[in-house]
Amino acid sequence: MLSQATLPDRALAIVSTTIEHAVPVVYPLTSDLDAIGTAEDNAIVLAGASVAPHHLAVHRIQHRDYVVINLGRKTCEPVWHTVQPGDAYACPRHGDLTQLDARGWCPQCKRKRGSLWLIRPLNPGDTFEIGTAFRAEYIVQENSRHDPIALPLNAPAIVTHALPIDDPNLWRWQPEGVPFPIFMHQRVNLATTQHARQNREREVGGVLLGEVRHDERGQMYVVVAHAIKAEFADETRGHLTFTRKTWLNIHALREQHYPTEEIVGWYHTHPGWTIFLSPWDLFIHQNFFRQPWQIALVIDPALDRAGFFVWKDNQVNQPHAPIAPFRLAELDGWAEASQPRARIKLI
């Protein structure tokens, strides 16, 4: 697992603006110049007709990050021409510029041609467009104390339903001290358990789909109805990263099969690492699953154990050790016992 010291302290969360309810992908900023574009030699490669081969870059100057873009490119969006506090400019012929002329160009250049570089300081939470298909948000990790960015999902319309305590397909998890119960369908248990057991040498995961509801007394609860595997993810023995292709596949499957269900959380495995949220797991959950009803399910197939992690009082409750971890074998038995019995009518 990644330690706190190895977490990326600077990153871009890039989201597709052409996909409804798209979830950002985190791209760590690892050097003094991280170029973004469609060219293979870019640090961050994005495919899009409106993204130039070398579209823009994040430049580290004296412990401060700046977004740098060439205003002379035809692909430059009009938003970059609106002056903001802290903006600086540079001309490749005449160096740093203290101000622009009436044309909005280098005062020493006789004709408006060539390149003019905009250098804009970045602050945590700043967003900017990359072509017409992507939006980036600049995030800073400060030992998990930063203000997490919101998951770009519309808050669901929370409907009122009685607790589904009579549904034999739902397993209820509500130990003492957690703010709301979780009801997990047996098919989710079977799917996530099988996924974990078939991949004991590397971390795997996916997203959890379902509904968030209130009962008649106003008690919130979550029903986990389906799971979608994170295909095309970067999977290693101690690390899991959802790639842009992973999210595209997840959203395509969700729209095709479960268009009315919300992403109520995510799951991933810790093969042989026990059950907890590592600093990297916590970073992901705080930034991309920050709604109070979104949950994390961690499974250790080596121990046949799993545990839920939930939000409580605006923070992840007990990330280093789960409340009431449960054995997968027990869930297997529950699933078999809860198979519906067929009724045969004799004529």
Side-chain angles (χ1 to χ4, degrees):
M1 308 304 297
L2 289 183
S3 66
Q4 185 70 39
T6 59
L7 280 176
D9 58 353
R10 308 143 50 225
L12 291 181
I14 299 180
V15 63
S16 171
T17 56
T18 61
I19 300 175
E20 188 177 7
H21 303 321
V23 175
V25 177
V26 176
Y27 294 88
L29 300 173
T30 57
S31 67
D32 289 337
L33 186 64
D34 293 278
I36 306 169
T38 55
E40 290 300 322
D41 58 343
N42 288 137
I44 301 173
V45 179
L46 302 174
S50 61
V51 181
H54 298 89
H55 195 86
L56 51 81
V58 176
H59 194 8
R60 188 101 173 142
I61 306 173
Q62 296 181 346
H63 309 291
R64 180 74 185 270
D65 282 322
Y66 298 80
V67 61
V68 180
I69 187 165
N70 187 353
L71 297 179
R73 286 188 176 273
K74 294 181 179 180
T75 55
C76 181
E77 295 80 17
V79 65
W80 295 107
H81 294 278
T82 302
V83 179
Q84 295 186 4
D87 282 357
Y89 300 89
C91 172
R93 297 182 182 86
H94 304 105
D96 295 340
L97 305 176
T98 57
Q99 62 181 9
L100 303 181
D101 61 14
R103 304 169 300 169
W105 212 250
C106 172
Q108 300 182 56
C109 289
K110 295 182 179 180
R111 289 187 293 175
K112 186 177 178 180
R113 65 179 184 181
S115 299
L116 177 67
W117 292 97
L118 167 65
I119 305 170
R120 177 169 293 173
L122 287 173
N123 298 301
D126 284 352
T127 62
F128 55 88
E129 306 298 318
I130 306 175
T132 58
F134 299 97
R135 180 180 301 112
E137 180 160 0
Y138 176 67
I139 56 179
V140 175
Q141 171 76 359
E142 296 177 352
N143 297 322
S144 299
R145 293 193 299 269
H146 70 288
D147 184 24
I149 61 174
L151 182 72
L153 285 172
N154 295 325
I158 301 179
V159 297
T160 299
H161 281 290
L163 291 175
I165 56 178
D166 296 328
D167 189 338
N169 294 306
L170 296 176
W171 175 73
R172 180 175 181 172
W173 180 87
Q174 191 183 15
E176 186 177 355
V178 298
F180 57 86
I182 298 172
F183 293 85
M184 183 167 65
H185 198 284
Q186 62 169 315
R187 61 172 165 257
V188 179
N189 164 53
L190 296 175
T192 55
T193 299
Q194 183 181 40
H195 194 194
R197 288 174 174 168
Q198 290 176 343
N199 299 274
R200 295 176 181 267
E201 302 302 320
R202 67 183 191 277
E203 287 196 15
V204 296
V207 299
L208 303 173
L209 303 179
E211 294 182 80
V212 54
R213 302 172 177 173
H214 282 155
D215 66 10
E216 298 90 339
R217 299 174 301 173
Q219 168 66 60
M220 183 180 71
Y221 66 96
V222 172
V223 178
V224 185
H226 300 279
I228 297 179
K229 293 181 182 180
E231 303 286 356
F232 315 111
D234 292 334
E235 303 166 349
T236 67
R237 180 71 175 83
H239 188 56
L240 173 68
T241 300
F242 288 15
T243 65
R244 177 175 177 270
K245 192 173 182 180
T246 299
W247 284 117
L248 290 174
N249 183 68
I250 286 173
H251 287 296
L253 292 175
R254 175 178 172 270
E255 288 298 319
Q256 180 180 359
H257 299 291
Y258 318 110
T260 63
E261 296 189 353
E262 301 292 333
I263 296 179
V264 295
W266 65 303
Y267 75 93
H268 72 289
T269 64
H270 282 185
W273 293 101
T274 71
I275 308 302
F276 64 100
L277 290 179
S278 72
W280 177 251
D281 301 334
L282 199 59
F283 178 74
I284 292 173
H285 197 73
Q286 288 174 326
N287 280 280
F288 306 117
F289 298 92
R290 65 164 298 188
Q291 301 294 343
W293 39 266
Q294 288 181 312
I295 62 178
L297 171 64
V298 180
I299 303 170
D300 186 344
L303 299 178
D304 251 5
R305 294 180 71 84
F308 283 117
F309 296 87
V310 300
W311 287 96
K312 183 180 181 180
D313 299 327
N314 297 319
Q315 61 184 351
V316 180
N317 192 30
Q318 292 193 203
H320 303 299
I323 297 177
F326 43 88
R327 296 186 63 84
L328 300 182
E330 294 174 357
L331 284 185
D332 287 345
W334 157 78
E336 293 170 0
S338 64
Q339 291 290 340
R341 294 190 177 96
R343 296 186 177 182
I344 302 176
K345 182 178 181 181
L346 298 179
I347 298 178

